[in-house]
Amino acid sequence: MTDLKTVLSEAVATAFAAEGVDKTLARVTPSDRPDLADFQSNGALAAAKALKMNPRDLATKVAAHLEGHPALSAVEIAGPGFINMKLSDAALSQRAREVAADADKAGAATVTDARKVVIDFGGPNVAKPMHVGHLRSSIIGESLKRIFRFRGDEVIGDAHFGDWGFQMGLLITACGDEGIADAFMAEGDGPFPSESPVSLADLERLYPQAAGKAKEDPAFRDRARKATAELQAGRAGYRALWQHFVAVSRTALTREFSALDVTFDLWNGESDADPVMEEMIADLKAKNLLVEDNGAQVVHVAREGEFRKKKLDDGSVVQVPSPPPLLVISSEGSAMYGTTDLATILDRKKSLSPDLILYVVDERQAEHFEQVFRASYLARYAPEKSLEHLGFGTMNGTDGKPFKTRAGGVLKLHDLITMTTDMARERLKDAKLGEDLTEAEFEEIAHKVAIAALKFADLSNARTTSYVFDLDRFTSFEGKTGPYLLYQAVRIKSLLRKAADQGAEHGEIVIAEQAERDLALTLDAFSAAVSDAYDKRMPHLVAEHAYRVAQSFSKFYAACPVLAQGHEATRGSRLSLSAAALLQLETALTLLGIQTPERM
């Protein structure tokens, strides 16, 4: 199914080629002056300069080729050589009918060549509660997973938990010191207790204590490092205790992800790459990539001539490789964060053979992924350019710094969801919405409003930017918010239910009024919005489109009576156009991971 912008782009490209002009210059965009035209092409200006022609003369020749095109009602030249194009009502009507009839894609096109894509997102650490810092990765990753799948790719979402690093050694050592896991401290093969010696509350208490102690007590830190190495080497008691850490943490992680409607195809952790670790180390050595560096083993990833200046403690400045070497094996003999990431790429190559792996991780990890990706390419674990780090900005408080509690601590994700749901209840009651619903129905809607508020607040911003979290504004039913979009969707559903109750039938869409044209043009733009979001890895482009659909429908509804329309054919056309708007709005919201209620 082809959108009208693409149809016109192809027509203008053909016209340019007929005049001996490079097709790539025939770019068609929505008009800067929608009161004058629907689309425009400014390519004649650049082409004429290269050909040393008058741009208006060239534009006139190109426009002559477009005369009589079935999708156009008018083609005009403006200014020094702008080509303005106005779509015919017939073309808009046909396009709106296509959208209405496309229950699966709502008018969006799919990719020509589907790929197998792994999206690595979520990434919380075992034994630590999820906090607001995990929100963006979860929300953005889930939306990208849906967008890529919607476009036709085979997509595998992997949570990739942090469950194999130094934090595990810290916890094992802390449990041993407190005497709450003595049975697991013994050497030998066990057996070991099947019941967990720790609760989630224990882990939440022990980890920050142990992390703080490791900074102040070198002896404790060394014991924790040794415990990490022994865990990774296969010490049975430590492995059994670690499995309890994972199982206890998994319960809480599942709760938070479920509340956000975030799902994974793989619930893997760093530890799942352990079976290929020995093979990988041997392979890196065989390829002369693994070298010793002050007792540790590293892979040098900087290319020849890549350096940066580093200031030493004595004030002197030296040149060091940039990016720095990837640390693979520490001087204590344990695998590092980069090691497990590298091994995970190898494991995915062997088990999944993906064409592309996307990492939705905080922008502050950019250098780490540059190191890992370069090492992967050097070792031939992944084809060049098949690994992408999709960094993102932070969710900030009104002070412009990463969002904190009033006491200055990191806010738990569960508490954020609860806080937002409480505010959603107040908003619904203030707006007198949901008064005729049962308590259970009301609570379900309050949760959907809360999640819509959180997700749209995040996804309406470009992935690469930071944004200020304003709970009061984000939960409003007015303005550019998730609750506003839900309200508009519910409003259309109410209209369609009333039409059904009155026996009003849907009819063939026929575009005639300006508000109908504007809505049909907005619906046509969905395919480009999804395609751009896919190509640029930017879900905010879908969020922007969803908001435009809601606005366009609101203007259409105000200007064009639907049920009050006495002419049966016009009423049927507008009902079908309303249904098409709902279909596309809900489709766009689904791509953002937002569910719409049936009523409020």
Side-chain angles (χ1 to χ4, degrees):
M1 184 174 292
T2 306
D3 59 294
L4 291 170
K5 179 185 173 184
T6 300
V7 169
L8 294 184
S9 296
E10 292 172 353
V12 175
T14 300
F16 268 55
E19 292 300 323
V21 179
D22 184 357
K23 284 185 176 184
T24 61
L25 296 174
R27 183 166 173 261
V28 172
T29 60
S31 175
D32 294 335
R33 290 285 305 275
D35 56 319
L36 299 178
D38 299 319
F39 292 96
Q40 66 186 46
S41 175
N42 304 337
L45 280 72
K49 183 177 181 181
L51 297 173
K52 297 182 180 181
M53 293 179 59
N54 181 299
R56 191 174 177 91
D57 289 345
L58 177 58
T60 301
K61 291 179 180 180
V62 171
H65 291 282
L66 299 175
E67 291 293 341
H69 191 284
L72 295 171
S73 62
V75 182
E76 297 178 350
I77 309 303
F82 303 123
I83 303 172
N84 287 340
M85 293 164 279
K86 191 174 184 66
L87 292 165
S88 67
D89 288 346
L92 279 171
S93 299
Q94 179 57 35
R95 179 62 178 147
R97 290 176 208 139
E98 291 174 356
V99 172
D102 188 7
D104 293 331
K105 301 296 179 185
T110 55
V111 294
T112 303
D113 298 312
R115 298 172 294 181
K116 180 183 284 189
V117 181
V118 172
I119 302 184
D120 184 319
F121 69 106
N125 289 319
V126 162
K128 291 163 49 176
M130 288 181 68
H131 54 76
V132 293
H134 296 113
L135 184 68
R136 297 213 75 188
S137 176
S138 303
I139 288 176
I140 296 169
E142 177 67 22
S143 182
L144 286 171
K145 183 188 73 178
R146 293 176 182 224
I147 290 169
F148 272 66
R149 198 168 280 166
F150 182 77
R151 290 275 286 155
D153 286 333
E154 178 186 351
V155 185
I156 301 159
D158 188 351
H160 196 65
F161 300 110
D163 65 351
W164 203 234
F166 182 50
Q167 76 268 27
M168 297 296 103
L170 287 172
L171 282 169
I172 290 169
T173 306
C175 286
D177 287 356
E178 286 209 359
I180 60 177
D182 287 345
F184 298 88
M185 299 296 118
E187 295 189 17
D189 295 331
F192 299 98
S194 59
E195 185 174 340
S196 176
V198 292
S199 64
L200 183 63
D202 290 326
L203 296 178
E204 291 181 7
R205 173 181 60 83
L206 286 170
Y207 179 76
Q209 289 180 3
K213 189 173 181 179
K215 293 178 180 178
E216 301 171 357
D217 185 347
F220 179 84
R221 181 171 63 248
D222 290 343
R223 287 194 294 125
R225 286 175 173 169
K226 182 181 178 182
T228 303
E230 290 181 325
L231 167 70
Q232 293 175 355
R235 180 165 169 169
Y238 288 180
R239 287 284 179 104
L241 180 57
W242 165 79
Q243 287 171 349
H244 286 306
F245 293 163
V246 173
V248 167
S249 300
R250 175 80 176 263
T251 300
L253 295 174
T254 302
R255 178 192 66 187
E256 314 306 6
F257 284 126
S258 296
L260 289 172
D261 195 19
V262 170
T263 62
F264 299 98
D265 303 288
L266 299 175
W267 286 75
N268 287 347
E270 296 171 322
S271 61
D272 287 280
D274 186 58
V276 303
M277 197 76 71
E278 185 177 348
E279 172 193 345
M280 183 187 77
I281 299 300
D283 181 64
L284 293 174
K285 288 179 179 178
K287 292 173 178 174
N288 296 318
L289 293 173
L290 198 62
V291 298
E292 188 170 335
D293 186 345
N294 293 322
Q297 296 183 63
V298 304
V299 174
H300 288 283
V301 296
R303 302 183 184 97
E304 185 176 352
E306 288 187 322
F307 295 99
R308 62 180 172 86
K309 293 180 180 179
K310 179 180 180 181
K311 190 174 183 179
L312 302 179
D313 293 338
D314 62 3
S316 62
V317 177
V318 297
Q319 295 270 50
V320 296
S322 179
L326 177 69
L327 178 57
V328 178
I329 303 294
S330 72
S331 55
E332 289 84 12
S334 59
M336 308 304 291
Y337 177 35
T339 321
T340 53
D341 274 352
L342 189 59
T344 297
I345 292 171
L346 176 58
D347 182 51
R348 287 170 175 163
K349 175 187 177 183
K350 296 164 75 71
S351 61
L352 300 173
S353 298
D355 300 302
L356 177 67
I357 305 178
L358 305 177
Y359 293 79
V360 185
V361 184
D362 192 325
E363 183 59 38
R364 290 171 288 189
Q365 296 292 317
E367 184 175 77
H368 165 77
F369 283 108
E370 180 70 12
Q371 293 171 294
V372 172
F373 294 173
R374 288 193 182 199
S376 299
Y377 298 147
L378 287 170
R380 297 189 294 278
Y381 296 157
E384 290 281 347
K385 298 183 180 180
S386 66
L387 307 171
E388 295 182 26
H389 171 218
L390 306 184
F392 52 82
T394 55
M395 185 180 91
N396 297 330
T398 53
D399 59 358
K401 298 178 181 178
F403 194 81
K404 302 281 187 180
T405 64
R406 290 184 179 178
V410 177
L411 183 65
K412 292 180 181 179
L413 185 55
H414 178 70
D415 293 339
L416 176 65
I417 295 172
T418 299
M419 183 172 69
T420 309
T421 304
D422 290 342
M423 179 67 82
R425 286 194 201 94
E426 291 182 23
R427 292 290 194 180
L428 286 164
K429 290 176 181 177
D430 290 344
K432 300 187 183 306
L433 296 172
E435 292 180 323
D436 57 342
L437 301 177
T438 66
E439 183 177 351
E441 289 174 325
F442 182 84
E443 284 301 312
E444 181 183 353
I445 290 171
H447 177 74
K448 287 180 177 178
V449 170
I451 298 305
L454 285 174
K455 288 191 172 184
F456 193 79
D458 191 295
L459 296 173
S460 60
N461 294 278
R463 168 177 55 80
T464 51
T465 63
S466 299
Y467 70 96
V468 173
F469 182 77
D470 185 338
L471 183 60
D472 188 60
R473 179 166 66 87
F474 293 159
T475 54
S476 173
F477 281 101
E478 297 179 353
K480 192 176 180 179
T481 70
Y484 167 76
L485 295 180
L486 295 193
Y487 178 76
Q488 290 296 339
V490 168
R491 185 184 186 188
I492 304 174
K493 291 181 180 184
S494 176
L495 168 67
L496 298 179
R497 280 196 300 270
K498 288 179 182 177
D501 291 343
Q502 294 176 15
E505 296 184 357
H506 293 224
E508 183 174 80
I509 297 175
V510 177
I511 302 298
E513 301 294 332
Q514 184 59 46
E516 295 173 328
R517 286 183 59 86
D518 292 343
L519 179 53
L521 272 168
T522 301
L523 298 180
D524 178 61
F526 182 51
S527 187
V530 175
S531 177
D532 287 347
Y534 173 90
D535 291 338
K536 298 174 182 178
R537 288 67 159 130
M538 291 286 193
H540 81 279
L541 297 171
V542 174
E544 289 284 352
H545 181 80
Y547 181 61
R548 286 196 296 270
V549 172
Q551 284 188 308
S552 293
F553 176 80
S554 184
K555 293 174 182 177
F556 156 76
Y557 188 72
C560 301
V562 181
L563 293 182
Q565 170 58 240
H567 191 271
E568 184 178 349
T570 302
R571 181 173 62 247
S573 169
R574 291 176 180 174
L575 278 173
S576 293
L577 187 57
S578 299
L582 175 63
L583 170 65
Q584 198 173 95
L585 178 56
E586 286 201 291
T587 301
L589 289 175
T590 298
L591 293 179
L592 301 176
I594 295 173
Q595 297 181 26
T596 57
E598 289 302 308
R599 60 186 77 238
M600 283 186 183

